[in-house]
Amino acid sequence: MEKTACAKIEEAVVQFAAEGSLVERRPYGNGHINDTFLLVYEMPDGTKKQYILQRMNHEIFRNPQQLMENIVNVTTYLREMIVSQGGEPDRETLNVVKTRSGENYYQDSDGNYWRLFLFIERTICLEKVESAEDFYDSAVAFGNFQRMLADYPAETLHETIPNFHHTPSRFLAFQRAVREDKLGRAASVKAEIEFALAREKDTFVLTDLLAAGQLPLRVTHNDTKLNNILFDESSRKALCIIDLDTVMPGLSHYDFGDSIRFGASTGEEDEKDLSRVELDLSLFEVFTKGYLEGCGGRLTDKEIEMLPMGAKLMTYECGIRFLADHLEGDVYFKIHRDGHNLDRARTQFKLVADMEAKWDAMRAITEKYKNR
Ligand code: ADP
Ligand code: GN1
Ligand code: MG
């Protein structure tokens, strides 16, 4: 956390309509983007109530007002569905707590944007896949998310980061970072740069199919890492999808692919020993099965056929984003050690190469579930 950016946390905390008196406040979670804090309040009867306070990263999300409008609208919609299905609306979706003056967020006197969510109690957040069953549950949950929002009017959502998963645009940004080479790091990562440049043709595949009307535009989450799902502590079932900053119109491949990139890898996103990083085909299968079940038959045959390309492109795209950030001086993703973004880029490229080696098997798996 940058000290200066969060200097106004005390000013921010008191703006929200939280109940009770504040007894604890500490940094929380492992996100790469926002600054997240846990707030614990004590009620007059001694019981505790917890909240999540976040300083939104407004260098990345340029229009926090529109972003919060998306989140409030989508979570209100989901909340109604959860209520009508007899679920637990305070735990199965994020809930925005308004400011005392009824706003969705607070802008402090330094210009930082803050928001408050109900803390989702009795959950666990997994930083890596611990069992095939967890991964299957996460797949069903992301599929369900897709299905629940299938009739949501996508055109009313703001694009919180333009061209977020538009891989050709990401490729151009990557080329620019190589060309500018602001920190003189390009010479030391030649092999990685060449790996990325050699795959330029792939970057157009999904966006061309979308433009040709062969893939449908949907409401997608766009950041479906495993740690953006909370699991119920006692049942260990996927309970709530969080981190809705990038909910926007997109392709189902973005959600499917990003989950595979993160969860079906045998290594962590920043593993230094690349011999430990591979695509686990059995996890790929488990996720494909769960995601398609969760989507409830809504994906078209063409969408299903292209799922392996979604996995490969999301992994590749994340790799070029990490590498571009390494070249630009680590200005986007939070890093915790020197070369962190380079390590991350290397795992992504290792995974891409392994997907290419396992391509026929990936295709066979999606075919198998297409015909069910
Ligand atoms: P980032 O965009 O930085 O990844 P997230 O919104 O994903 O930020 O939040 C970071 C972490 O905080 C999550 O991975 C999760 O562990 C925790 N978290 C976020 N919102 C909640 C919530 N409402 N209840 C409980 N934990 C939460
Ligand atoms: C960021 O916010 P977080 O940590 O869930 C990033 C994703 C990347 C991911 C890589 C808004 O996700 O796009 O895939 O890091 N989010 C944004 O770990 O850029
Ligand atoms: Mg997150």
Side-chain angles (χ1 to χ4, degrees):
M1 171 186 62
E2 303 154 60
K3 271 208 180 74
T4 47
C6 287
K8 294 292 156 81
I9 185 166
E10 279 161 27
E11 175 190 323
V13 165
V14 296
Q15 307 299 325
F16 291 92
E19 296 170 61
S21 51
L22 183 67
V23 290
E24 191 185 339
R25 182 188 89 199
R26 61 181 160 88
Y28 194 81
N30 281 313
H32 289 161
I33 303 296
N34 297 303
D35 293 319
T36 303
F37 302 87
L38 175 72
L39 305 182
V40 185
Y41 285 76
E42 197 172 277
M43 304 300 141
D45 66 0
T47 55
K48 303 249 167 83
K49 183 152 179 163
Q50 310 192 92
Y51 297 88
I52 285 284
L53 175 74
Q54 282 182 324
R55 184 185 76 95
M56 291 180 256
N57 187 326
H58 71 275
E59 271 156 35
I60 290 177
F61 296 104
R62 306 309 288 231
N63 194 327
Q65 195 219 321
Q66 290 188 349
L67 180 151
M68 287 309 291
E69 203 177 297
N70 277 0
I71 293 187
V72 167
N73 288 343
V74 165
T75 53
T76 305
Y77 184 89
L78 290 175
R79 198 179 159 90
E80 279 167 20
M81 274 191 158
I82 294 164
V83 169
S84 71
Q85 291 164 7
E88 280 186 274
D90 283 358
R91 296 180 75 229
E92 292 176 28
T93 177
L94 283 177
N95 285 272
V96 172
V97 180
K98 301 223 180 215
T99 65
R100 295 188 188 280
S101 55
E103 306 296 330
N104 296 330
Y105 62 89
Y106 172 70
Q107 187 175 19
D108 72 28
S109 46
D110 283 348
N112 294 300
Y113 293 84
W114 300 85
R115 65 181 171 203
L116 194 72
F117 292 115
L118 292 185
F119 182 82
I120 302 170
E121 303 282 350
R122 304 181 307 283
T123 64
I124 42 179
C125 180
L126 300 174
E127 291 301 329
K128 61 175 194 226
V129 172
E130 289 170 12
S131 72
E133 211 181 332
D134 291 343
F135 198 42
Y136 170 79
D137 281 343
S138 78
V140 176
F142 281 124
N144 268 325
F145 185 82
Q146 173 65 249
R147 192 174 40 76
M148 286 171 86
L149 292 170
D151 296 323
Y152 189 93
E155 67 287 353
T156 62
L157 287 172
H158 305 288
E159 222 185 333
T160 54
I161 301 182
N163 293 326
F164 189 59
H165 283 312
H166 191 270
T167 316
S169 305
R170 294 290 189 183
F171 186 81
L172 289 178
F174 168 71
Q175 281 181 309
R176 190 172 57 241
V178 173
R179 207 169 46 241
E180 291 177 356
D181 191 19
K182 285 187 189 142
L183 280 95
R185 290 177 171 174
S188 61
V189 291
K190 253 179 131 174
E192 288 78 6
I193 292 174
E194 268 157 29
F195 182 94
L197 294 177
R199 284 158 182 77
E200 179 176 7
K201 242 182 8 179
D202 287 342
T203 66
F204 299 99
V205 174
L206 294 179
T207 44
D208 281 358
L209 286 170
L210 173 67
Q214 291 189 51
L215 292 176
L217 195 67
R218 300 185 178 279
V219 174
T220 48
H221 180 283
N222 296 305
D223 192 1
T224 51
K225 292 203 291 202
L226 189 69
N227 67 6
N228 284 332
I229 288 204
L230 299 177
F231 288 75
D232 183 82
E233 201 175 66
S234 45
S235 70
R236 216 182 160 99
K237 291 274 166 227
L239 177 73
C240 180
I241 289 175
I242 59 168
D243 205 345
L244 302 177
D245 295 336
T246 50
V247 171
M248 288 183 270
L251 294 174
S252 54
H253 305 82
Y254 302 160
D255 285 359
F256 176 86
D258 198 50
S259 280
I260 295 295
R261 161 192 96 67
F262 190 82
S265 168
T266 54
E268 293 190 29
E269 189 176 76
D270 59 357
E271 173 61 58
K272 275 172 165 293
D273 177 359
L274 292 182
S275 71
R276 297 169 77 161
V277 180
E278 275 182 42
L279 174 77
D280 181 329
L281 271 178
S282 64
L283 287 179
F284 179 81
E285 175 155 4
V286 156
F287 194 90
T288 304
K289 180 172 183 290
Y291 186 70
L292 292 177
E293 281 172 16
C295 286
R298 290 213 177 215
L299 297 200
T300 66
D301 281 358
K302 187 68 181 172
E303 274 180 297
I304 299 174
E305 181 194 320
M306 296 311 292
L307 288 176
M309 188 48 101
K312 179 174 157 182
L313 268 193
M314 286 304 98
T315 311
Y316 168 84
E317 182 188 277
C318 204
I320 59 174
R321 291 175 63 198
F322 286 142
L323 188 53
D325 202 31
H326 175 71
L327 294 170
E328 286 169 342
D330 308 302
V331 290
Y332 188 96
F333 296 103
K334 290 184 185 165
I335 57 162
H336 307 294
R337 59 176 189 248
D338 284 348
H340 207 164
N341 274 317
L342 176 58
D343 293 339
R344 291 170 176 153
R346 285 181 170 146
T347 61
Q348 303 307 292
F349 292 162
K350 170 73 197 288
L351 258 185
V352 168
D354 198 45
M355 287 180 191
E356 288 170 351
K358 292 174 176 159
W359 196 245
D360 291 345
M362 290 167 75
R363 296 286 306 252
I365 289 167
T366 45
E367 280 305 303
K368 174 172 155 191
Y369 289 96
K370 186 163 96 185
N371 299 324
R372 282 207 172 171

